Amino acid sequence: MIDRPVRIGLQLQPQHMDYPTIRRTAAEAEEAGVDVLFNWDHFYPLSGEPDGLHFECWTMLAAWAESTSRVEIGALVSCNSYRNPELLADMARTVDHISEGRLILGIGSGWFERDYTEYGYEFGTAGGRLDDLAEALPRIESRWGKLNPPPTRKIPVLIGGGGEKKTLRLVAKHADIWHSFATGEALEHKLTVLGEHCAAIGRDRDEIEVSVVAKPDTREAARELGARMFTVHVGGPKPDLGELREWLTWRDDVNK
């Protein structure tokens, strides 16, 4: 097994707060020692007032690339449906350069129907959206090889989701990081399935970093199963980093 340190992420949900608050919270999280700073790729809030304050994902990531200096940054996750794959590859390459090599390309097939209908995208079916993601990932990888200048590094790809027939097969083939909402026996089972998909293509499952939602009551079990990134979720209107600081203390203890 690859010996990885525990890392802590923060998903700073860009809802119900103005941008100065988002910028200030991102700076506070970096100063506190967070490893990865995520936002999300939606057009409307996912909780609270449905038409509340909200900001777009990738323009924000470019701003974070300039306003931070150490943390890795990315979306948890970017929706494949909203952008041409070649364009997304170029956007990711550009933010990679702005950040001097700190971008993670988080990507998924999409699920929030309001985003699609309000912005004129075809919602389709879950299976169809996953098929589109399967087609997009090789195109993204191919475009990275054609861009001038190329990315500063092999941009890590994070794939979110737990579907065992399609999503985990894509994780095995394309991902450097797999993000899951599963816990306990469900997480253990999905890791077994992921291992089977990896074995089928001759890949070592341990090459893939396992990322989970930060839940104090399941963190030790998740770490025993191999999870190494734990992500705290914070939104507006008054983001509180108290929980994040507790997780950073735990990280430092287990990484000694």
Side-chain angles (χ1 to χ4, degrees):
M1 178 179 292
I2 297 175
D3 184 20
R4 300 179 188 272
V6 167
R7 301 201 294 165
I8 302 299
L10 175 69
Q11 185 188 57
L12 182 52
Q13 301 167 344
Q15 60 177 7
H16 306 307
M17 52 185 151
D18 58 23
Y19 192 74
T21 301
I22 293 173
R23 181 175 56 237
R24 181 175 64 251
T25 306
E28 290 175 359
E30 180 172 50
E31 184 178 0
V34 75
D35 296 293
V36 186
L37 183 62
F38 295 109
N39 60 8
W40 66 26
D41 191 15
H42 294 288
F43 305 131
Y44 296 93
L46 297 187
S47 62
E49 168 54 48
D51 292 314
L53 297 176
H54 197 277
F55 291 98
E56 192 276 329
C57 170
W58 275 91
T59 44
M60 183 181 298
L61 289 176
W64 285 359
E66 286 282 11
S67 65
T68 63
S69 60
R70 178 191 57 78
V71 293
E72 288 191 286
I73 58 175
L76 192 63
V77 291
S78 187
C79 178
N80 174 65
S81 304
Y82 302 156
R83 301 163 192 89
N84 169 281
E86 281 76 16
L87 172 61
L88 181 59
D90 202 346
M91 292 166 62
R93 181 281 308 252
T94 300
V95 175
D96 166 68
H97 274 265
I98 297 170
S99 67
E100 299 182 317
R102 294 183 287 118
L103 179 77
I104 295 171
L105 176 60
I107 192 166
S109 59
W111 64 272
F112 189 44
E113 188 170 2
R114 187 185 182 193
D115 284 345
Y116 286 78
T117 56
E118 292 270 8
Y119 276 59
Y121 297 103
E122 181 180 352
F123 188 57
T125 66
R129 294 192 299 275
L130 278 166
D131 292 340
D132 290 343
L133 179 60
E135 179 188 4
L137 287 164
R139 290 170 60 183
I140 291 169
E141 294 165 354
S142 175
R143 180 56 52 182
W144 280 337
K146 299 174 182 177
L147 292 170
N148 184 18
T152 67
R153 61 171 179 169
K154 180 187 181 301
I155 296 176
V157 173
L158 178 155
I159 295 178
E164 295 175 12
K165 293 182 178 180
K166 292 186 176 182
T167 302
L168 292 183
R169 182 179 288 114
L170 294 177
V171 171
K173 187 173 182 181
H174 297 282
D176 302 285
I177 307 167
W178 170 52
H179 182 74
S180 173
F181 289 88
T183 60
E185 292 181 0
L187 177 61
E188 184 175 13
H189 171 70
K190 289 184 183 297
L191 285 167
T192 298
V193 174
L194 177 58
E196 292 168 354
H197 286 309
C198 287
I201 62 171
R203 187 179 185 191
D204 183 349
R205 195 203 77 183
D206 289 341
E207 293 178 3
I208 302 169
E209 183 178 13
V210 178
S211 167
V212 296
V213 178
K215 297 181 179 180
D217 57 336
T218 61
R219 67 185 176 192
E220 291 299 341
R223 191 166 73 93
E224 285 296 317
L225 290 172
R228 289 296 181 270
M229 188 188 299
F230 297 80
T231 298
V232 177
H233 295 185
V234 172
K238 296 180 179 179
D240 182 353
L241 297 186
E243 181 184 3
L244 175 67
R245 296 179 191 278
E246 293 174 5
W247 278 89
L248 293 173
T249 298
W250 174 76
R251 175 203 64 188
D252 294 343
D253 288 341
V254 299
N255 282 344
K256 287 180 179 177

